[in-house]
Amino acid sequence: MGRNAEEVGAPLARAAASSYWSESEARAVLEAYEESGLSVAEFARRHGLGPQRLRWWKKRRREEASPERSFVPVHVAAPPSREERETAAGAASMEVVLARGRRIRVEPGFDADALARLVRALEEAC
């Protein structure tokens, strides 16, 4: 059975007034949208939401649920030695793609501990 109008209305009002949606706000908006049976454009218009943002969150939810993508934990055993860093001058950089689609380009000789801190901070920010 559907939720009552007050339960649905408060998160939608907050989302409409905000330029940023938290995970919980986005989840509430998406659930209300899915229960409505309306098109994205009509639902957004009725609730004062930007249809682009609603489409972005729908896409993100679909990508997170997609079984074709999976992430494998990576552990850097040891940072390269100074000699390895100096001889790696012609080596290619590496790009790390995080769960939310953020990308970090890592150059040869990177500091593994600093990268680990950065990844943790970026993942906690969402």
Side-chain angles (χ1 to χ4, degrees):
M1 180 162 248
R3 298 175 296 169
N4 69 40
E6 191 175 301
E7 240 182 291
V8 173
L12 290 175
R14 280 193 306 274
S18 175
S19 60
Y20 172 83
W21 293 356
S22 68
E23 290 280 336
S24 61
E25 288 170 327
R27 189 174 20 254
V29 170
L30 287 170
E31 287 173 7
Y33 157 72
E34 290 166 354
E35 289 175 5
S36 75
L38 299 171
S39 70
V40 168
E42 182 60 20
F43 182 84
R45 186 188 64 73
R46 286 188 185 185
H47 296 286
L49 304 169
Q52 308 87 334
R53 181 175 298 162
L54 184 54
R55 285 185 187 101
W56 184 87
W57 278 98
K58 276 183 60 179
K59 178 179 181 248
R60 180 172 158 194
R61 178 187 265 186
R62 188 174 50 250
E63 287 173 350
E64 287 175 347
S66 174
E68 54 200 56
R69 269 194 178 172
S70 63
F71 293 93
V72 179
V74 175
H75 174 73
V76 178
S81 69
R82 182 177 181 169
E83 182 179 297
E84 289 171 325
R85 287 192 306 267
E86 289 172 358
T87 59
S93 61
M94 173 177 68
E95 190 170 84
V96 177
V97 181
L98 303 177
R100 302 286 191 257
R102 291 182 170 135
R103 297 173 184 273
I104 303 171
R105 183 169 305 274
V106 181
E107 299 298 328
F110 68 93
D111 180 306
D113 292 330
L115 177 61
R117 286 191 304 275
L118 175 62
V119 168
R120 276 193 303 275
L122 289 172
E123 289 299 299
E124 290 171 2
C126 285

